[in-house]
Amino acid sequence: MPVQPAGTPAAAPVPDLAAAPAPAGKPGPGRDRYLDLLRAVALFRVVIYHIFGWAWLTILFPSMGVMFALAGSLMARSLSRPAWGVIRGRVRRLLPPMWAFSAVVVPMMFVLGWQPVKEEGLWWFAKLAWYVFPVGAPPFPWTSGDHAGLLEETWAVQAAGPLWYLRAYLWFVLASPLLLRAFRRLPWVTLLAPLGLTAVIGTGLVNIPGETGNALTDFAVFGSCWVLGFAHHDGLFKEVPRYLTVSLAAIVMGFGLWWASGHLTEDGWDLNDIPLAQAAWSLGFCVILLQYAPSWRELPGRLARFDRLVTLANNRAVTIYLWHNLVILATIPVIDLLWKIPFVDAHLGSAVEAGYTLLMTLLVWPLIGLVILCVGWVEDVAARRRPRLWPNGSAAGSRRR
């Protein structure tokens, strides 16, 4: 089961993972439901990718680039207020959900045999601080497990995979005041500079070893998407003819695919493993999404039936993203219980084996729902809101405390 270790109008608020959540009732007058929909789709795609590992999903919808672009737009909007207060608010909304996640995962690592002090010495205790404030890479064992075989040996690697996004997000938040100032003075240079940096450190031309190199590469790969959010908020798209914007975006995306074609890895066209292709494709893709962005106060037509799911996903984005890998792993021992049913073992064994990933896909959503009920309320506490169990926008959901 592959798991990757680890995008309106200027006045409309744009969602990001640590942004203020949607209200419990109907969305407020300032929310753009198109952008809420984009984030919900991005989260859905991340979960499906981590179940099936289909490389083509990274091309069909580059979720991480989309989420960074949306977050950058909201950050630009928020920085109309004093920068320190904005940064403090973003960090406050991000950290408590991560602490809740760490409070479960880190003890599990120790219970299942992790002995980092023997392996790394007392320096390991300093690294543990990254589970509190993730500007660095939180440590975890590369192999772990239990005697009953309920967890894969690489479960800790997969569970900690999403933490790279939190590190990159925090770096962008801290750098945003300077990045926004640079963008407003030299917009095109600031927009394209991360792409150039990716061409240097993301291709092996300059090799920066260890987690420092990984962090800088993530910052470079998605830096243009983040700055693109600035451009979207500031209305830069309105100054460039649409045909020119789309044409340039198509050229950048074409370059990304061309580069990927010459640098395929063992996972083929998985752009997560090809930094320069990921950076170029994500940038061009997000340009088109934001250039054609409608301004929806409500989801139109048939999309309206997904309104509550979109609202729930936006209110619990941090929870869903942090926990989804661990939840995917939890589906395995649950499905394996089917083999203990005599009829299934005798007559449906081959069918269960053939449809294993489909069963995982069906089971993962109720388990994610269970996690939302158990720890999702931490996002409300972090945002200084009244805790809610199931904030999907319905009146019943708003009454659940």
Side-chain angles (χ1 to χ4, degrees):
M1 179 184 58
V3 177
Q4 186 65 21
T8 188
V14 186
D16 69 271
L17 283 189
K26 291 186 177 180
R31 294 196 68 88
D32 190 320
R33 297 297 278 170
Y34 171 73
L35 300 173
D36 286 350
L37 177 65
L38 283 183
R39 182 165 61 160
V41 172
L43 288 169
F44 176 80
R45 201 285 283 163
V46 166
V47 175
I48 294 300
Y49 169 78
H50 284 165
I51 293 175
F52 290 93
W54 291 329
W56 54 268
L57 286 174
T58 64
I59 298 175
L60 178 66
F61 195 88
S63 288
M64 307 318 300
V66 171
M67 289 196 289
F68 279 118
L70 297 180
S73 183
L74 178 59
M75 194 67 186
R77 176 181 180 272
S78 298
L79 284 172
S80 60
R81 307 192 302 272
W84 172 243
V86 173
I87 292 174
R88 184 175 57 189
R90 290 293 184 280
V91 172
R92 188 189 70 240
R93 292 187 179 108
L94 184 70
L95 294 185
M98 179 177 176
W99 295 340
F101 175 80
S102 301
V104 173
V105 172
V106 175
M108 283 179 61
M109 294 176 183
F110 283 110
V111 169
L112 295 179
W114 190 26
Q115 297 179 327
V117 177
K118 288 184 178 181
E119 298 170 2
E120 303 184 41
L122 295 178
W123 172 245
W124 171 84
F125 286 102
K127 294 182 180 180
L128 194 62
W130 303 141
Y131 279 105
V132 179
F133 196 78
V135 292
F140 50 83
W142 286 94
T143 58
S144 181
D146 64 335
H147 297 298
L150 296 177
L151 292 172
E152 297 181 5
E153 287 189 349
T154 60
W155 77 268
V157 179
Q158 298 179 52
L163 297 181
W164 77 266
Y165 176 88
L166 272 67
R167 176 181 64 188
Y169 177 87
L170 192 56
W171 278 39
F172 282 125
V173 166
L174 296 175
S176 281
L178 291 177
L179 284 175
L180 184 58
R181 184 179 302 176
F183 170 76
R184 287 173 175 168
R185 290 186 178 183
L186 298 169
W188 296 107
V189 172
T190 309
L191 178 63
L192 297 176
L195 199 60
L197 181 60
T198 305
V200 174
I201 66 175
T203 62
L205 187 62
V206 172
N207 184 37
I208 303 175
E211 286 300 330
T212 300
N214 292 336
L216 288 173
T217 299
D218 294 336
F219 189 84
V221 167
F222 298 105
S224 287
C225 291
W226 187 274
V227 176
L228 182 67
F230 296 169
H232 180 246
H233 172 266
D234 284 7
L236 187 63
F237 289 130
K238 298 178 181 178
E239 301 177 7
V240 182
R242 177 173 289 180
Y243 75 87
L244 182 59
T245 302
V246 175
S247 298
L248 292 175
I251 292 173
V252 172
M253 294 169 71
F255 168 78
L257 291 183
W258 171 79
W259 182 266
S261 69
H263 298 82
L264 300 180
T265 67
E266 61 182 12
D267 294 322
W269 287 84
D270 194 326
L271 299 187
N272 290 319
D273 299 326
I274 314 172
L276 185 56
Q278 174 78 289
W281 181 262
S282 295
L283 175 60
F285 193 95
C286 291
V287 166
I288 295 175
L289 281 181
L290 297 180
Q291 174 69 79
Y292 284 94
S295 181
W296 291 340
R297 293 297 173 258
E298 296 181 356
L299 294 178
R302 295 182 179 180
L303 290 175
R305 70 184 66 177
F306 301 106
D307 183 81
R308 292 183 179 180
L309 286 177
V310 170
T311 300
L312 181 65
N314 277 266
N315 277 313
R316 294 294 179 256
V318 180
T319 300
I320 294 170
Y321 187 78
L322 271 176
W323 291 86
H324 77 274
N325 271 359
L326 196 58
V327 170
I328 290 171
L329 292 172
T331 65
I332 297 174
V334 174
I335 295 173
D336 286 348
L337 292 176
L338 292 174
W339 301 102
K340 296 184 179 296
I341 302 174
F343 179 82
V344 173
D345 190 20
H347 303 284
L348 300 177
S350 59
V352 170
E353 186 174 353
Y356 207 94
T357 50
L358 178 59
L359 290 174
M360 291 173 65
T361 305
L362 295 175
L363 183 58
V364 74
W365 304 112
L367 290 181
I368 287 176
L370 182 60
V371 169
I372 288 173
L373 290 172
C374 292
V375 299
W377 54 269
V378 176
E379 292 194 54
D380 292 328
V381 174
R384 296 179 178 176
R385 299 172 61 94
R386 180 178 296 179
R388 299 165 294 170
L389 289 180
W390 196 256
N392 66 347
S394 67
S398 66
R399 288 195 299 268
R400 291 172 180 157
R401 298 291 191 265

